[in-house]
Amino acid sequence: VMEIANASSPEVFILLGFSSQPSLEPILFVLVLGFYVVSLLGNGTIILVSCVDVHLHTPMYFFLANLSSLDIGFTTSIIPQLLVNLWGPQKTISYGGCVVQFYISHWLGATECVLLAVMSYDRYAAICRPLQYTIIMHPQLCLSLALASWLGGLTTSMVASTLTMVLPLCGNNRIDHFFCEMPLIIQLACVDTSFNEVEMYVASFIFAVLPLGLILVSYGHIACAVLKISSAEGRRKAFNTCSSHVAVVALFYGSIIFMYLQPAKSNSHERGKFLALFYTVVTPMLNPLIYTLRNKDVKKALRRLVLEKSCGFF
């Protein structure tokens, strides 16, 4: 099967991206580059302060550091190639580069879905079981949940991406997108792809729909617990504890759901590219901003880190 796939697979893919709007490409290049730099700096800062500051050695910031690592990996698997294609007339990506891109992006995207559900469980334990929180979310469990998220995403990516990679494409190499997305590769195949489509739907249910269901159940319990708090100050603190995670979940799932609910019209595909640009470029940049701007602990940790470095320098 591998020999058949290799014989009929193109050496390069053409990523059409935004080539239908050439006047827009220079503007997009500047915007995407700016967002990417801010995303790297913001997520890198989150990882740094979560590791360095002992006050942030808690389950919440452990998972947040994992989320930032995911965002850096996910954007880096897509954006550098996008910038190259936006900069010049060349719109190609090698076959190997395309394979690596959809392996990594699928892996990290699936992992993020599971990790967001794990983070919602952490918030549920913090608010609904405050007295048992340190017992429930002990370091071994946190590490196990993080590893399960990463390994689960890797497993589904290995299975789905390998099944996609062995499909004979019969020389079809034009992808009407700005990165190698698995459903679009499947559409290029010149054989029946029913099995691949079923596998993709099953994986989407397990790694996207189920985690979203768990998140909604967790926040349903959290909402009930918050409403039972008698003091307004207590309710405000509980809300602040969850608001950043709710905002990140809303951004991540909101953009994906909106994109896949687009009607099958010619103009909706172009709109889908901009929505994909939002969740691959903008959302990873907003995540650290949401957590730093709305979180006193992170802001204090940043101030301590800056003061320590400043004192050491002088």
Side-chain angles (χ1 to χ4, degrees):
V1 177
M2 285 293 290
E3 289 177 6
I4 295 171
N6 290 335
S8 59
S9 297
E11 291 183 5
V12 296
F13 286 97
I14 298 170
L15 294 172
L16 298 178
F18 302 96
S19 55
S20 61
Q21 305 171 67
S23 60
L24 193 61
E25 289 187 326
I27 300 168
L28 283 176
F29 178 87
V30 173
L31 289 174
V32 169
L33 180 60
F35 284 135
Y36 182 49
V37 171
V38 173
S39 177
L40 290 179
L41 290 174
N43 285 297
T45 301
I46 292 285
I47 295 168
L48 179 65
V49 296
S50 297
C51 294
V52 171
D53 196 297
V54 293
H55 299 90
L56 301 185
H57 289 177
T58 63
M60 177 181 172
Y61 296 105
F62 170 72
F63 293 129
L64 181 54
N66 275 267
L67 180 64
S68 291
S69 301
L70 278 173
D71 284 340
I72 289 174
F74 183 72
T75 54
T76 302
S77 71
I78 294 170
I79 293 179
Q81 182 66 49
L82 171 60
L83 290 171
V84 169
N85 290 354
L86 287 172
W87 180 254
Q90 195 87 359
K91 308 295 180 189
T92 58
I93 182 172
S94 67
Y95 177 80
C98 191
V99 169
V100 169
Q101 196 173 73
F102 67 69
Y103 263 99
I104 293 176
S105 61
H106 190 74
W107 169 28
L108 300 182
T111 301
E112 184 156 346
C113 290
V114 179
L115 188 65
L116 288 173
V118 169
M119 292 173 77
S120 72
Y121 175 72
D122 172 64
R123 295 300 82 208
Y124 160 78
I127 292 172
C128 299
R129 300 285 186 273
L131 298 179
Q132 295 89 30
Y133 177 68
T134 52
I135 299 170
I136 296 171
M137 299 303 294
H138 53 85
Q140 289 82 3
L141 178 64
C142 294
L143 184 61
S144 299
L145 290 172
L147 281 173
S149 302
W150 286 88
L151 291 176
L154 179 61
T155 302
T156 186
S157 175
M158 291 295 288
V159 172
S161 299
T162 303
L163 287 173
T164 303
M165 191 178 70
V166 299
L167 288 172
L169 304 181
C170 302
N172 297 327
N173 71 337
R174 295 170 68 85
I175 301 173
D176 193 8
H177 214 307
F178 60 85
F179 72 103
C180 293
E181 197 175 29
M182 196 177 301
L184 296 175
I185 303 292
I186 291 173
Q187 287 175 19
L188 297 179
C190 51
V191 294
D192 180 41
T193 58
S194 301
F195 182 76
N196 297 74
E197 289 167 13
V198 169
E199 190 281 333
M200 190 170 63
Y201 287 130
V202 171
S204 298
F205 178 78
I206 294 171
F207 286 92
V209 178
L210 278 183
L212 180 59
L214 291 172
I215 290 168
L216 294 175
V217 169
S218 295
Y219 277 103
H221 286 290
I222 288 169
C224 293
V226 169
L227 290 173
K228 290 177 183 177
I229 298 173
S230 55
S231 68
E233 179 66 18
R235 284 195 298 270
R236 187 186 65 79
K237 284 183 178 179
F239 174 76
N240 287 339
T241 302
C242 299
S243 57
S244 297
H245 182 251
V246 170
V248 168
V249 169
L251 275 172
F252 181 79
Y253 274 103
S255 57
I256 291 175
I257 290 169
F258 189 70
M259 187 179 77
Y260 285 105
L261 289 180
Q262 289 290 301
K265 296 177 183 176
S266 58
N267 64 333
S268 68
H269 185 68
E270 289 299 314
R271 194 159 58 238
K273 291 180 191 177
F274 285 98
L275 284 168
L277 198 63
F278 182 83
Y279 79 76
T280 56
V281 178
V282 181
T283 302
M285 183 270 298
L286 290 176
N287 288 354
L289 294 179
I290 289 169
Y291 274 103
T292 52
L293 294 176
R294 298 183 60 86
N295 193 302
K296 291 179 181 178
D297 292 336
V298 175
K299 285 190 278 190
K300 285 178 183 176
L302 280 171
R303 280 197 293 269
R304 280 194 295 267
L305 186 62
V306 170
L307 284 171
E308 284 174 11
K309 294 297 178 185
S310 300
C311 292
F313 176 78
F314 286 113

